[in-house]
Amino acid sequence: HIYTVRELTRDIRALLEKNFGRVWVCGEVSNCRLHGSGHIYFTLKDEHSQLSVVFFRGDAARLTFKIEDGLQLNIEGRISVYERRGAYQLIASVAEPVGYGALQLAFEQLKKRLGEEGLFDEDHKKPIPRFPQRIGVVTSPTGAVIRDIIHRIEGRFPTRLLVWPVRVQGEGSGTEIAAAITGFNALGADGPVPRPDLIIVARGGGSLEDLWSFNDEAVVRAAAASDIPLISAVGHETDWTLIDHAADVRAPTPTAAAEFAVPVRAAPELRLAELATRPRPALARVIPHRPVQPPPPAR
């Protein structure tokens, strides 16, 4: 039997797909390119061989990190043949960085890119007002975080709080948080809801996945662009998210954010009392030694 090229290529494709099915392959990424269609094409190689890989648009959209040259990846996919070129390839569906969690890698990649844009520069940090009249709080309206913030501020220096309720975890929560920060900045000073002098963005502790909304690029950009000074208070002291780098002040906990936001009421009161008593001893020293001026002569 004399095959046509097409027949032979199809038979080879059928053999490969039947005998290999789904496989995991490890290698280094090179020649990576993103097509306008949304597909990702690259070569996976080791010191001896190389393999063509394609992530079609649907699977590529589910990646949490950016595939780029030099990454070591474990990839799951199915072996097939691209008949037009007669080349076998791996049609990938899942990719995992070797020695690096996918979310952690995505965190580092985005941190580097936004840092290079200057979003985290210290020159852009604004001072926190000492006596804010209104504080905007972006957090879940239920749970311990908002109760802790209210309790601590009431105990230190009672101040008006404006709560913008958002989801702090799950799909779409990053969009809500970014919209809340932008929304507070859009308020007018004389409107029905007055503009706050300070914003606190807060959430309790959790895993990297739980806190991922605060690594959302839209959230980080909204925090960096805020004209209102902003304190980030996400997670515990050891938890760092990208909004922490963009905020004007990073608080280790939501309770600490409340302490940063307002002073203890007794402190300024004592200071005022101290200042009020200062002129009296000074006047007592000056007045007795002041020479008495004689009255002007009568005309």
Side-chain angles (χ1 to χ4, degrees), residues 257-270:
E259 295 174 354
F260 292 170
V262 294
V264 177
R265 178 169 52 187
E269 289 176 349
L270 289 173

Side-chain angles (χ1 to χ4, degrees), residues 70-290:
L71 286 181
Q72 288 281 340
L73 298 180
N74 289 325
I75 298 179
E76 183 190 29
R78 58 186 178 86
I79 296 294
S80 186
V81 173
Y82 182 38
E83 293 184 15
R84 182 174 298 178
R85 295 182 180 174
Y88 82 98
Q89 62 183 356
L90 180 69
I91 300 177
S93 56
V94 177
E96 297 179 352
V98 176
Y100 222 146
L103 286 181
Q104 186 63 40
L105 178 60
F107 176 93
E108 296 296 340
Q109 288 178 335
L110 185 56
K111 179 183 176 183
K112 179 181 178 182
R113 178 161 60 84
L114 297 182
E116 290 173 348
E117 289 185 30
L119 268 65
F120 307 148
D121 289 355
E122 290 296 324
D123 294 344
H124 297 164
K125 307 296 184 185
K126 296 175 288 298
I128 302 301
R130 189 174 183 186
F131 298 105
Q133 296 183 18
R134 293 172 296 274
I135 299 175
V137 183
V138 178
T139 191
S140 170
T142 61
V145 168
I146 187 60
R147 292 197 300 270
D148 289 346
I149 291 175
I150 292 172
H151 175 74
R152 186 53 57 97
I153 288 179
E154 285 182 344
R156 289 172 64 86
F157 200 102
T159 304
R160 185 179 181 186
L161 297 182
L162 307 172
V163 179
W164 195 303
V166 296
R167 290 177 297 160
V168 293
Q169 183 176 341
E171 185 176 355
S173 56
T175 301
E176 293 183 13
I177 296 165
I181 297 171
T182 303
F184 270 136
N185 277 270
L187 293 174
D190 301 324
V193 179
R195 193 173 192 249
D197 306 308
L198 176 66
I199 296 174
I200 297 175
V201 180
R203 186 205 189 281
S207 65
L208 180 61
E209 291 82 359
D210 295 336
L211 304 179
W212 192 253
S213 300
F214 299 90
N215 295 321
D216 189 295
E217 183 171 350
V219 171
V220 180
R221 291 190 179 279
S226 176
D227 291 327
I228 303 172
L230 186 145
I231 299 175
S232 68
V234 179
H236 301 304
E237 186 169 0
T238 56
D239 297 324
W240 276 86
T241 58
L242 292 181
I243 193 176
D244 294 325
H245 297 279
D248 298 298
V249 171
R250 185 250 180 182
T253 64
T255 300
E259 295 174 354
F260 292 170
V262 294
V264 177
R265 178 169 52 187
E269 289 176 349
L270 289 173
R271 178 61 175 164
L272 287 173
E274 177 188 351
L275 293 173
T277 60
R278 279 188 176 184
R280 296 177 183 175
L283 288 173
R285 291 192 300 269
V286 171
I287 291 175
H289 297 88
R290 184 176 180 181

